[in-house]
Amino acid sequence: MQQTKFFKVAVFMLIAAIILPESLFGSKKRGRRKGGSNSSVLSIDSPKQGGLGFENTAEAKSWETFLVTEPGGDLDATFGGEIRLSYNGEYPKTLRGVGKDSRVWFLSILEGMVYEPLLSLNIEKKRWEPQLATHWKISSDSLTYMYRIDPSARWSDGTEVTSEDVLETYKLLIDKGHEDPNVYTIWAELFNQPELVSKYIIKVTAKKKDWRSFNYFSGFYIYPAKYLKKVDGAGYLEKYQSQMMPGTGPFKLNPSMTRKGIELVMENRGDKWWSRGYKRNEGIANFKFIKFLFINDEIQLNERFMNGDFDLYTVNRASYWKTKFIASNYDQIDRGLIQRKKIYNKAPNGVGGIALNSLEEPFNDKRVREAFCYLWDIDKLIDKLFYDEYVRKNSYFPGSDYENPSNPKQTYNPEKAIKLLRDAGWIKKPGDKWITNELGQIFEITFRMEQSAERIYTPLQEDLEKIGIKLNFEIKLSAQSFELIMKRKFTAAPMGWTGSTFPNPEGMMHSKYQRQNETTNITGMGIKKLDQLIEKYNSEWDLKKRIPILQKIDLIATREFHYVLGWYAPYGARMLYWNKFGVPDKGISYTGGEYSAIWLWWYDKDNDTKLINAKSNPSYRFSPQNEVIDYWGVKN
């Protein structure tokens, strides 16, 4: 389950990577969804047609499956208690997983708690495993996929999960009434409408051969047809604005405990979760309640954690980790009431740093872009400001198998930069402060950023001024800056993208998006050789063969210098937590972050009792624990 959660986010990001024009919005007409199911097909539940005993039939031998014999979590985990988490942002505008305003990271967390996909991708083992479906089949031409749904699967209202639920979920995704053109266009372009083969077997045909199509269809969350057939896209948008349909996952929303704008509470369904007794689910989803507090203020966040208002705090600032939240400053940390943990794993990282708009002057000249990449002293930032908590990026896929070791190194080198600028016609004349081109225009850039980022970019501004480049700060909120960047209204801007276990270079690099707004190709990449490699990558189903293709893509892209590459954390989580939880040896999941605690940690009643006593007994100390968890040997 914990792997599924993070894979769904990856699917979400892959689909979001190809963003389409707002003009594709559809009608807002509300009504009942048209088109019913074939009742005669759904009445078939013989073993051969996917019913109980299917796995023993001759038909099943031609399908793929996998019997999970390892527990998903720690066998020492116990059920009960609660964990209170902070979310450093605003309460979501909607609780829907589809439609306008739903493209929010927090909603993907909720979706993973309530709903399940057909299959689960075990990223660590690099294999598909059963979830709602027990078996699956891919046709010889790699275009048609079939899934057999587990006859034991149940919605939280007690009704069966059937192939009709998959069909109706697809219909919702392609319905323009939900007002998310990215979703309804992509799903309609990728697949023909799924077919109901039987009550438990669904078949879908992709419109083009692409390995990600199977990932998409296997990994999207399934909703109940019983509720979807009562609304169309617009009706769904309205009805489920602040509520969630029944799910098949281990959690459900608790409306009575939820306080809109302040706290959202999820309740564990316990033994009512249809697959609670399955081996794959042993030791996971252990908390009775998950409580999310919304605190959109960093100072208040710090104070409320130390006051015990919530249990786990992600420390995003290196300076806080190194100089503030330390034993010498806080007695609670010194005595072990609060634990510090830095956990290494295989969390993917994306490209990020300063994006350069190659479609506008002066960065339409590759020499100027390359020069700019030698003028940001990242190593000094990491040393002086970030306390060596991060490492330099040198790739579109940093720290992964996809990174090409031959990528050009963007080391700080003003002399090299000045030569490149001179070659491009930018020269500082005697007595001038700024470099100018042949038209007498000075090299001047407006640099849009948040107020809190001044400490990071002021040293860059000062270094650029030394060689004659004028960098003007324009302070904007993050959401405002992002909106302008997606409309390509920028020259150079701070920008970072979420990494993916299965990268999608098409949206960011393919020339068909070079001049299209609202895409991840914000820098205007457009190179024929890259297009060819991307097409080759998209059609290659063998993961091992995709790795060298991505490495070639990485080399070509980094040689175009569209990003002044920044830094990344070589670990998955850096956190503080009140010492009342059981934590597995791995700490968090293979590619996850701090929210892995939802799935893998558990409430330790004995520790909590000790913690309560320790708060009133200044002499009590918990036994020391290792601060660093490196279960997968990433650090070494």
Side-chain angles (χ1 to χ4, degrees):
M1 173 62 68
Q2 65 270 24
Q3 297 291 359
T4 300
K5 169 189 176 291
F6 295 107
F7 174 63
K8 192 274 179 182
V9 177
V11 169
F12 172 87
M13 294 305 297
L14 282 167
I15 295 172
I18 305 175
I19 303 180
L20 300 165
E22 294 296 319
S23 60
L24 292 175
F25 277 90
S27 168
K28 292 188 178 181
K29 182 179 179 181
R30 291 166 172 76
R32 183 184 295 270
R33 187 177 301 285
K34 295 181 180 180
S37 62
N38 186 329
S39 58
S40 63
V41 168
L42 292 187
S43 67
I44 299 173
D45 59 358
S46 68
K48 187 176 180 181
Q49 293 297 320
L52 292 172
F54 172 80
E55 58 275 6
N56 298 319
T57 65
E59 169 71 13
K61 293 180 181 179
S62 65
W63 293 58
E64 292 185 56
T65 188
F66 186 85
L67 180 62
V68 180
T69 59
E70 301 170 355
D74 195 306
L75 292 181
D76 290 333
T78 56
F79 181 82
E82 67 180 32
I83 185 170
R84 297 165 299 169
L85 303 166
S86 67
Y87 186 78
N88 189 11
E90 296 179 352
Y91 192 92
K93 292 181 180 179
T94 179
L95 297 183
R96 288 180 285 98
V98 175
K100 70 173 184 178
D101 299 325
S102 68
R103 202 173 295 277
V104 179
W105 167 255
F106 178 73
L107 294 178
S108 68
I109 297 170
L110 293 189
E111 288 273 288
M113 298 173 72
V114 177
Y115 305 105
E116 295 176 299
L118 291 166
L119 301 179
S120 169
L121 180 64
N122 187 320
I123 299 173
E124 181 179 359
K125 305 293 185 182
K126 294 179 173 57
R127 68 189 181 208
W128 289 100
E129 296 177 355
Q131 198 74 31
L132 286 176
T134 63
H135 295 68
W136 57 97
K137 180 191 284 190
I138 302 173
S139 63
S140 57
D141 62 5
S142 301
L143 288 173
T144 299
Y145 322 132
M146 296 177 69
Y147 303 85
R148 182 262 187 163
I149 293 168
D150 192 329
S152 300
R154 295 290 185 274
W155 297 101
S156 59
D157 65 0
T159 57
E160 284 186 285
V161 179
T162 70
S163 56
E164 187 177 23
D165 297 310
V166 182
L167 173 61
E168 292 300 325
T169 303
Y170 171 83
K171 288 181 179 179
L172 170 66
L173 294 174
I174 65 169
D175 192 320
K176 295 182 179 180
H178 66 60
E179 298 185 20
D180 188 333
N182 311 309
V183 172
Y184 65 64
T185 306
I186 288 296
W187 282 92
E189 287 182 347
L190 285 177
F191 304 103
N192 295 305
Q193 180 166 301
E195 302 174 40
L196 304 179
V197 176
S198 73
K199 183 176 182 178
Y200 298 117
I201 295 177
I202 189 84
K203 179 171 75 173
V204 65
T205 300
K207 294 181 178 179
K208 67 176 182 177
K209 182 179 177 181
D210 188 326
W211 56 268
R212 276 169 302 201
S213 295
F214 181 75
N215 287 22
Y216 291 153
F217 207 87
S218 301
F220 78 107
Y221 290 140
I222 308 302
Y223 300 143
K226 176 181 176 181
Y227 297 85
L228 289 179
K229 287 195 294 184
K230 297 177 181 178
V231 295
D232 60 4
Y236 164 81
L237 203 69
E238 181 177 309
K239 183 174 179 62
Y240 296 103
Q241 181 71 5
S242 57
Q243 61 177 305
M244 302 181 80
M245 291 179 287
T248 58
F251 294 94
K252 63 179 180 180
L253 178 70
N254 187 312
S256 62
M257 295 176 70
T258 294
R259 296 176 293 163
K260 188 174 182 180
I262 300 171
E263 181 181 38
L264 186 145
V265 180
M266 304 298 290
E267 182 177 357
N268 199 314
R269 295 171 53 216
D271 291 338
K272 293 181 180 179
W273 180 24
W274 70 275
S275 60
R276 166 59 74 186
Y278 283 32
K279 192 72 175 180
R280 66 178 185 245
N281 292 328
E282 287 187 30
I284 71 166
N286 306 304
F287 293 107
K288 175 62 177 175
F289 294 104
I290 310 286
K291 298 182 177 180
F292 297 98
L293 277 70
F294 296 85
I295 307 170
N296 198 16
D297 180 272
E298 190 174 42
I299 295 175
Q300 188 182 138
L301 197 69
N302 298 343
E303 292 177 349
R304 291 190 63 181
F305 172 74
M306 297 309 300
N307 288 337
D309 291 348
F310 60 96
D311 301 314
L312 188 152
Y313 176 42
T314 302
V315 184
N316 291 319
R317 287 203 186 194
S319 60
Y320 283 6
W321 181 257
K322 285 289 192 176
T323 66
K324 182 173 183 176
F325 293 116
I326 56 178
S328 58
N329 289 346
Y330 290 96
D331 176 69
Q332 301 98 315
I333 296 175
D334 182 44
R335 293 192 289 128
L337 281 67
I338 293 175
Q339 292 289 319
R340 283 168 46 103
K341 282 286 185 286
K342 182 189 290 186
I343 308 175
Y344 290 81
N345 67 350
K346 296 287 187 175
N349 290 281
V351 68
I354 299 174
L356 306 177
N357 188 348
S358 71
L359 302 181
E360 284 190 5
E361 293 183 346
F363 295 121
N364 58 345
D365 189 321
K366 180 180 174 180
R367 294 168 296 183
V368 177
R369 296 197 302 272
E370 183 177 358
F372 214 71
C373 289
Y374 301 136
L375 292 173
W376 195 14
D377 197 344
I378 297 293
D379 292 329
K380 185 169 70 174
L381 271 180
I382 292 173
D383 178 35
K384 302 298 184 184
L385 195 60
F386 301 144
Y387 299 87
D388 291 318
E389 282 288 295
Y390 308 121
V391 295
R392 287 190 68 119
K393 288 186 177 182
N394 196 53
S395 167
Y396 277 72
F397 322 108
S400 73
D401 293 336
Y402 312 125
E403 179 173 343
N404 194 315
S406 299
N407 289 347
K409 304 295 187 291
Q410 294 186 7
T411 53
Y412 183 62
N413 193 334
E415 292 77 16
K416 189 173 183 178
I418 291 170
K419 183 180 184 305
L420 285 164
L421 289 169
R422 283 176 180 165
D423 292 344
W426 292 95
I427 300 171
K428 183 186 286 189
K429 297 176 182 177
D432 286 353
K433 182 176 182 179
W434 310 110
I435 59 174
T436 55
N437 60 14
E438 59 184 9
L439 299 176
Q441 299 168 324
I442 68 170
F443 198 128
E444 184 174 12
I445 301 170
T446 297
F447 193 76
R448 199 178 296 118
M449 65 181 184
E450 292 183 82
Q451 185 79 50
S452 61
E454 280 190 273
R455 66 191 179 92
I456 295 174
Y457 296 107
T458 296
L460 172 64
Q461 183 186 50
E462 294 169 351
D463 287 342
L464 291 177
E465 184 174 343
K466 291 175 185 176
I467 69 162
I469 295 176
K470 188 176 183 182
L471 191 69
N472 302 314
F473 291 157
E474 181 182 345
I475 304 302
K476 292 279 188 181
L477 294 175
S478 178
Q480 294 173 323
S481 293
F482 183 75
E483 182 178 350
L484 291 167
I485 289 170
M486 295 305 289
K487 290 180 170 56
R488 209 177 264 117
K489 294 181 179 180
F490 76 99
T491 304
M495 192 63 189
W497 299 98
T498 304
S500 171
T501 303
F502 301 106
N504 181 24
E506 182 173 345
M508 186 171 289
M509 299 180 190
H510 202 288
S511 62
K512 64 183 176 182
Y513 303 115
Q514 183 181 22
R515 296 182 179 275
Q516 187 171 330
N517 293 342
E518 303 293 337
T519 78
T520 51
N521 191 351
I522 58 170
T523 63
M525 187 81 78
I527 301 167
K528 185 176 181 180
K529 179 61 176 176
L530 272 180
D531 293 349
Q532 294 169 346
L533 285 169
I534 288 169
E535 296 298 330
K536 184 178 179 181
Y537 171 75
N538 289 347
S539 61
E540 179 52 70
W541 281 66
D542 189 320
L543 173 59
K544 292 181 180 178
K545 292 180 180 178
R546 289 202 298 268
I547 292 174
I549 298 173
L550 269 182
Q551 289 179 340
K552 291 178 182 177
I553 289 172
D554 194 31
L555 181 62
I556 293 172
T558 53
R559 284 179 173 173
E560 289 299 311
F561 301 99
H562 280 224
Y563 280 86
V564 189
L565 297 171
W567 58 88
Y568 71 99
Y571 40 82
R574 188 175 57 192
M575 63 176 76
L576 306 170
Y577 66 91
W578 286 94
N579 194 8
K580 56 181 176 180
F581 303 111
V583 179
D585 291 342
K586 53 183 149 185
I588 58 178
S589 68
Y590 187 70
T591 58
E594 67 275 12
Y595 288 112
S596 293
I598 293 170
W599 299 98
L600 298 175
W601 293 19
W602 62 94
Y603 171 67
D604 188 323
K605 187 176 181 179
D606 290 340
N607 255 21
D608 194 18
T609 300
K610 293 176 184 177
L611 178 63
I612 293 170
N613 293 334
K615 287 180 178 179
S616 59
N617 181 2
S619 64
Y620 185 85
R621 305 180 71 87
F622 280 89
S623 299
Q625 295 184 16
N626 291 331
E627 182 175 298
V628 173
I629 295 179
D630 189 15
Y631 180 83
W632 290 281
V634 175
K635 185 179 179 182
N636 301 321

